[in-house]
């Protein structure tokens, strides 16, 4: 009897712990470097601490706006001094899933460099990496009693950095992947020179107990770089790139969400100035992909009689036009292509007698601004449409009451827009795509 009670209690505890883990929010800690009396590196017109804070807050806004289920914690949101060890403690106390520290690079007088680089914890492989780590770690000398706090670590002595040679563990691989994601997204989206991903001995990363990286935004000591880092538009571009790198990492490793992650597709398609989908859209995409098998069944039940009827109608229409066209297959092919284009970009008259039938569209991406005609993000496509939802402009291709037409369109455009997914509207308003599919099936059977 006692064994049964013990077993039941054990099972209950496991269920409680499982439920708690499932409901736990993904936690991101953003660390704007320096602050208060620690100005960081100095440029001709600005201070590093202010640049770091500006980019960090903008990055955080993107996360909060697009991923409301993520808990965002800042080590500072104002111009205050936070000891280096306390920055790591903030992340550790919050049991954070990720720690991203934002900094700005600098060089001695007379030297010039440009570009964006990202660091993870490890042993430096070059003197330049050691110099960056030494400069960032030197902030501990501003803390009272730092020799005791950091157990005799001397940020200016190369011998002290031997401790980083033996850094190992499960966080290293994920930290490197996070760093590469951010590096790639910022350099492609914000048009920043790519200075690469490196390892170096940063104390703030060593003190954290989760995957982490440290970003160097650019060189405040290079005049044009400093102007760029103080330009609101360029700051937004960089922050958006950091967000996209973070989103790519989170979509892969956060088990509390189920967004399809295809590394090959994502890595081969630069997202540039596009922000990721909202949680609602991810749910809709998940539902749409989960319903793939039933949709194949719908596609297969299209009868030969229906197809034959369509072919006969096309033939009668061609005969009513110019008889000479019968001898011009090339011209007929062009006409067929035009018909397909019209079908993609205009609502089809499928089951026209069915009142208020849902209209399906293919959402290809989302932007926080209206893009000009011919923008590179459209990848040569011209038959697009858009609609406003909140502060986002959402771009779509195609519009049809026939779900199968949009499903085929999605396949056609998969190479250009691998993350595209099907949405639905009814009476001009956004409509649940699952319900729309059910109504489409019911209408077909009438």
């Amino acid at each position: 009897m006692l064994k049964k009670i013990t077993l039941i209690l054990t099972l209950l505890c496991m269920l409680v712990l499982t439920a708690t883990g499932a409901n736990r929010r993904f936690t991101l800690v953003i660390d704007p470097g320096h602050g208060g009396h620690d100005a960081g590196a100095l440029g001709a017109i600005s201070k590093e601490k202010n640049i770091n804070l500006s980019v960090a807050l903008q990055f955080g806004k993107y996360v909060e706006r697009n991923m409301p289920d993520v808990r965002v914690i800042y080590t500072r949101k104002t111009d205050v001094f936070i000891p280096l060890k306390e920055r790591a403690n903030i992340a550790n106390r919050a049991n954070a899933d990720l720690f991203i520290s934002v900094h700005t690079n600098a060089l001695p007088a007379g030297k010039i460099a440009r570009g964006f680089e990202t660091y993870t914890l490890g042993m430096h492989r070059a003197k330049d990496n050691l110099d960056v780590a030494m400069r960032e770690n030197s902030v501990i000398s501003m803390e009272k009693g730092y020799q005791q706090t950091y157990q005799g670590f001397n940020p200016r002595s190369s011998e002290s950095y031997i401790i980083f040679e033996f850094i190992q563990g499960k966080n290293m691989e994920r930290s490197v992947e996070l760093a590469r994601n951010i590096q790639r997204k910022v350099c492609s989206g914000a048009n920043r020179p790519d200075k690469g991903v490196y390892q170096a001995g940063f104390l703030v990363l060593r003190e954290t107990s989760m995957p982490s990286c440290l970003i160097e935004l650019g060189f405040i000591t290079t005049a044009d770089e400093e102007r760029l880092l103080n330009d609101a538009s360029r700051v937004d571009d960089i922050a958006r790139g950091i967000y996209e790198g973070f989103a790519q990492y989170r979509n892969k490793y956060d088990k509390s969400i189920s967004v399809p992650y295809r590394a090959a597709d994502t890595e081969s398609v630069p997202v540039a100035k596009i922000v990721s989908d909202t949680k609602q859209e991810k749910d809709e995409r998940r539902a749409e992909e989960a319903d793939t098998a039933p949709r194949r069944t719908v596609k297969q039940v299209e009868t030969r009689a229906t197809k034959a009827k369509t072919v006969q109608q096309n033939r009668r229409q061609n005969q009513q036009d110019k008889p000479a066209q019968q001898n011009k297959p090339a011209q007929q092919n062009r006409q067929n292509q035009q018909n397909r284009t019209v079908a993609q970009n205009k609502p089809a008259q499928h089951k026209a007698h069915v009142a208020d039938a849902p209209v399906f569209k293919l959402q290809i991406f989302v932007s926080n601004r209206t893009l000009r005609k011919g923008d590179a993000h459209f990848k040569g496509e011209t038959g697009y449409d858009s609609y406003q939802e909140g502060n986002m402009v959402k771009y779509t291709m195609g519009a049809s009451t026939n779900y199968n037409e949009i499903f085929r369109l999605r396949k056609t455009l998969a190479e250009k827009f691998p993350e595209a997914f099907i949405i639905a509207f009814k009476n001009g308003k956004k409509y649940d795509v699952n319900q729309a599919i059910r109504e489409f099936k019911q209408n077909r059977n009438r």
Side-chain angles (χ1 to χ4, degrees):
M1 183 66 181
L2 182 61
K3 290 183 177 179
K4 289 183 177 179
I5 294 174
T6 303
L7 179 60
I8 291 171
L9 290 174
T10 303
L11 290 173
L12 287 173
C13 289
M14 291 175 66
L15 286 172
V16 171
L17 290 172
T18 302
T20 302
N23 293 327
R24 179 180 171 276
R25 296 173 67 188
F26 187 98
T27 300
L28 166 68
V29 173
I30 302 176
D31 173 43
H34 307 281
H37 61 268
D38 172 22
L42 299 177
I45 60 173
S46 58
K47 299 176 180 178
E48 178 188 354
K49 64 176 183 177
N50 298 326
I51 293 173
N52 298 344
L53 184 60
S54 175
V55 174
L57 292 177
Q58 190 67 10
F59 163 42
K61 285 181 181 178
Y62 271 103
V63 179
E64 292 163 344
R65 182 189 306 154
N66 292 283
M67 294 183 173
D69 55 325
V70 172
R71 179 187 179 201
V72 180
I73 297 174
Y74 302 86
T75 57
R76 70 181 181 98
K77 296 185 76 173
T78 57
D79 185 18
V80 293
F81 177 76
I82 306 293
L84 187 147
K85 193 175 185 70
E86 176 58 20
R87 295 172 185 267
N89 287 342
I90 290 172
N92 293 335
R93 286 195 298 266
N95 194 23
D97 297 280
L98 218 54
F99 179 88
I100 298 178
S101 191
V102 181
H103 288 260
T104 306
N105 223 330
L107 288 173
K111 292 188 176 182
I112 290 178
R114 297 175 179 84
F116 183 92
E117 56 192 7
T118 312
Y119 287 87
T120 62
L121 183 63
M123 186 61 179
H124 58 275
R125 295 287 182 263
K127 183 179 181 301
D128 288 347
N129 299 353
L130 176 62
D131 291 342
V132 173
M134 283 184 167
R135 183 176 61 79
E136 298 295 359
N137 291 335
S138 66
V139 66
I140 67 173
S141 61
M142 298 185 179
E143 302 176 25
K144 186 176 180 180
Y146 77 89
Q147 293 90 343
Q148 289 74 35
T149 303
Y150 299 97
Q151 301 174 350
F153 181 86
N154 182 355
R156 296 181 178 83
S157 169
S158 59
E159 285 78 13
S160 290
Y161 287 81
I162 294 175
I163 62 173
F164 297 105
E165 189 169 2
F166 305 101
I167 295 295
Q168 295 295 334
K170 62 180 181 180
N171 291 334
M172 178 172 289
E173 184 178 347
R174 290 193 177 186
S175 296
V176 171
E177 183 171 0
L178 170 67
R180 286 174 175 166
N181 289 349
I182 291 175
Q183 184 72 21
R184 183 169 54 249
K185 294 297 185 181
V186 171
C187 292
S188 64
N191 195 28
R192 299 288 290 124
D194 188 347
K195 288 187 65 65
V197 174
Y198 304 99
Q199 288 184 321
F202 293 97
L203 278 175
V204 70
L205 301 184
R206 181 174 183 263
E207 298 293 329
T208 57
S209 58
M210 70 286 304
S212 57
C213 70
L214 185 145
I215 295 167
E216 293 286 357
L217 301 168
F219 291 83
I220 195 173
T221 49
T222 301
D224 58 311
E225 288 262 297
E226 183 182 14
R227 289 193 297 271
L228 178 150
L229 295 171
N230 283 275
D231 182 286
S233 175
R234 299 308 302 276
V235 164
D236 182 75
D237 288 343
I238 294 170
R240 186 159 55 249
I242 299 171
Y243 163 76
E244 288 167 356
F246 159 74
Q248 185 178 13
Y249 174 94
R250 189 228 173 179
N251 289 348
K252 181 175 181 179
Y253 289 113
D254 184 6
K255 302 307 179 184
S256 65
I257 59 174
S258 50
V259 177
Y261 176 85
R262 298 186 294 276
D265 288 344
T266 305
E267 290 174 4
S268 64
V269 182
V271 187
K273 299 179 181 297
I274 305 303
V275 299
S276 293
D277 304 319
T278 63
K279 185 177 183 297
Q280 177 187 352
E281 292 164 344
K282 289 172 182 173
D283 290 341
E284 291 172 351
R285 184 196 306 175
R286 184 170 67 249
E288 178 257 321
E289 296 202 359
D291 201 48
T292 299
R295 285 199 301 271
R296 289 197 185 103
T297 303
V298 171
K299 181 179 179 181
Q300 289 168 356
V301 300
E302 288 183 321
T303 64
R304 294 182 179 179
T306 302
K307 294 180 179 178
K309 182 178 179 181
T310 302
V311 171
Q312 290 173 1
Q313 290 174 346
N314 287 341
R315 286 176 178 172
R316 284 197 297 270
Q317 181 64 40
N318 292 338
Q319 289 170 359
Q320 291 172 4
D321 293 336
K322 298 179 180 179
Q325 290 179 351
Q326 295 176 358
N327 300 321
K328 296 181 180 180
Q331 186 174 352
Q332 183 63 47
N333 287 339
R334 287 195 299 272
Q335 181 64 38
N336 290 340
Q337 180 62 39
Q338 291 172 0
N339 291 339
R340 285 195 294 270
T341 303
V342 170
Q344 287 179 0
N345 298 318
K346 293 186 178 180
Q349 301 302 317
H350 173 74
K351 297 283 185 179
H353 63 279
V354 179
D356 301 327
V359 174
F360 297 95
K361 298 184 179 184
L362 183 69
Q363 184 163 306
I364 52 177
F365 60 74
V366 182
S367 174
N368 65 343
R369 59 186 176 85
T370 301
L371 301 178
R372 68 183 184 278
K373 184 178 180 181
D375 189 281
H377 294 102
F378 296 117
K379 300 179 181 175
E381 296 295 331
T382 57
Y384 57 83
D385 197 1
S386 66
Y387 68 98
Q388 188 89 19
E389 192 169 72
N391 295 325
M392 297 291 115
V393 181
K394 304 186 176 184
Y395 289 90
T396 64
M397 291 288 292
S400 177
T401 55
N402 186 338
Y403 175 85
N404 289 325
E405 288 185 5
I406 304 303
F407 181 68
R408 288 190 289 269
L409 177 62
R410 180 173 180 263
K411 280 184 151 185
T412 302
L413 297 176
E415 187 173 347
K416 288 184 177 180
F417 305 103
E419 299 299 319
F421 60 99
I422 297 174
I423 59 174
F425 288 83
K426 189 170 183 178
N427 298 325
K429 294 182 180 180
K430 195 87 172 282
Y431 194 56
D432 179 75
V433 71
N434 288 323
Q435 181 59 31
I437 292 170
R438 284 192 288 270
E439 291 183 20
F440 166 72
K441 292 178 180 178
Q442 292 169 359
N443 293 338
R444 284 180 59 105
N445 295 328
R446 289 183 182 179

